[in-house]
């Protein structure tokens, strides 16, 4: 990943909020990077751009040498489905579906046959220690179990990059350490991990830390 002079401005009425201001950043394959900063510093905006959920107003974003910042919506969706797994603070599991069906969703969007979806989803849930809760709905799971389900969903397409936005924000410290342990294990297997966090204890698990303030990288 190479981000060069990326800026993003949001317009609220007649005022402008510069969420990112000429940010440049390189992330090597296999990195474990933590992005830190206070609320409003631009962390989530940068994460959304890295995850192809948003595009910059100016600057360049290269992923494996391909210019992502000029892709259309269909191309961005394909990149998200093939290359990137997302983990969010609020889990974002659909409440009416079992955790197994939640994990199957990215495969369904990718057009994978139903039989393969089930096998791959079971394997992903087993890999995060949730194989015994396949048919439970999110409301029947603890916070840590929900986040494990969200992790399994992020991993089911075997993405090269996992983006985790405050993945421990709704968890107690012990459960948070368990989730970070899973992310570190994935990193040792070769996946690139990017974690947005405001917690120093979480960021210290990363091999590299960058800090944002007022939309700019510090240091």
């Amino acid at each position: 990943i190479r981000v060069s002079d990326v800026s993003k401005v949001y317009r609220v009425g007649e005022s402008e909020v510069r969420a990112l201001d000429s940010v440049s950043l390189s992330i090597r394959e296999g990195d474990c990077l933590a992005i830190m900063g206070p609320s409003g510093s631009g962390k989530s905006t940068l994460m959304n751009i890295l995850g192809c959920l948003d595009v910059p107003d100016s600057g360049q974003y290269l992923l494996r040498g391909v210019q992502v910042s000029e892709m259309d919506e269909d191309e961005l969706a394909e990149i998200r489905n093939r290359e990137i797994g997302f983990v969010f603070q609020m889990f974002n599991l659909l409440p009416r579906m079992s955790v197994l069906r939640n994990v199957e969703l990215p495969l369904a969007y990718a057009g994978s046959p139903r039989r393969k979806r089930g096998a791959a989803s079971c394997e992903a849930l087993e890999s995060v220690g949730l194989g015994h809760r396949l048919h439970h709905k999110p409301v029947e799971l603890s916070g840590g179990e929900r986040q494990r389900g969200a992790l399994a969903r992020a991993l089911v397409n075997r993405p090269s990059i996992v983006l985790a936005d405050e993945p421990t924000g709704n968890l107690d410290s012990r459960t948070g350490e368990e989730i970070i342990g899973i992310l570190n294990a994935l990193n040792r297997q070769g996946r690139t991990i990017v974690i947005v966090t405001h917690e120093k204890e979480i960021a210290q698990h990363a091999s590299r830390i960058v800090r944002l303030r007022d939309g700019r990288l510090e240091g």
Side-chain angles (χ1 to χ4, degrees):
I1 291 173
R2 184 179 297 277
V3 171
S4 302
D5 292 321
V6 160
S7 294
K8 184 70 180 181
V9 177
Y10 294 105
R11 289 165 181 82
V12 182
E14 296 183 0
S15 62
E16 291 187 347
V17 177
R18 185 166 289 273
L20 293 177
D21 189 2
S22 298
V23 170
S24 296
L25 177 67
S26 293
I27 304 172
R28 298 182 300 274
E29 190 167 6
D31 263 358
C32 184
L33 175 72
I35 301 173
M36 295 194 71
S39 178
S41 62
K43 303 188 302 297
S44 291
T45 300
L46 179 57
M47 178 71 87
N48 287 342
I49 289 173
L50 293 177
C52 301
L53 295 170
D54 203 353
V55 292
D57 292 325
S58 61
Q60 291 189 330
Y61 172 21
L62 295 174
L63 177 60
R64 299 189 186 280
V66 177
Q67 179 64 267
V68 176
S69 42
E70 295 179 357
M71 289 182 175
D72 62 27
E73 279 300 322
D74 289 341
E75 291 170 322
L76 290 171
E78 184 179 348
I79 289 284
R80 288 195 298 267
N81 201 269
R82 187 178 71 243
E83 291 276 5
I84 302 167
F86 297 93
V87 184
F88 300 99
Q89 178 178 352
M90 300 303 294
F91 319 130
N92 290 0
L93 298 173
L94 298 179
R96 294 178 183 272
M97 290 185 174
S98 69
V99 68
L100 178 62
R101 295 289 178 244
N102 268 280
V103 173
E104 285 183 355
L105 283 174
L107 296 172
Y109 294 144
S112 177
R114 188 174 187 112
R115 183 178 299 178
K116 288 187 177 180
R117 296 203 303 261
S121 298
C122 287
E123 182 181 339
L125 285 160
E126 290 281 357
S127 74
V128 298
L130 207 60
H132 62 300
R133 307 284 265 173
L134 300 179
H135 303 294
H136 288 71
K137 292 182 179 179
V139 71
E140 300 170 319
L141 304 176
S142 69
E145 288 172 332
R146 292 181 203 178
Q147 195 59 293
R148 287 172 185 264
L151 261 173
R153 183 184 55 194
L155 299 174
V156 73
N157 268 348
R158 301 184 182 276
S160 58
I161 304 162
V162 176
L163 303 180
D165 193 355
E166 299 283 5
T168 63
N170 279 335
L171 306 176
D172 61 73
S173 58
R174 183 183 63 81
T175 307
E177 288 285 337
E178 292 174 358
I179 295 299
I180 291 300
I182 294 172
L183 290 170
N184 284 150
L186 293 169
N187 180 241
R188 290 193 295 271
Q189 294 167 14
R191 282 192 175 90
T192 304
I193 308 292
V194 181
I195 304 169
V196 162
T197 183
H198 65 276
E199 300 177 70
K200 291 181 180 179
E201 296 83 0
I202 298 301
Q204 287 169 354
H205 289 270
S207 55
R208 186 159 64 105
I209 300 173
V210 297
R211 291 176 171 83
L212 277 169
R213 183 175 294 275
D214 298 327
R216 286 181 165 271
L217 284 179
E218 291 188 320

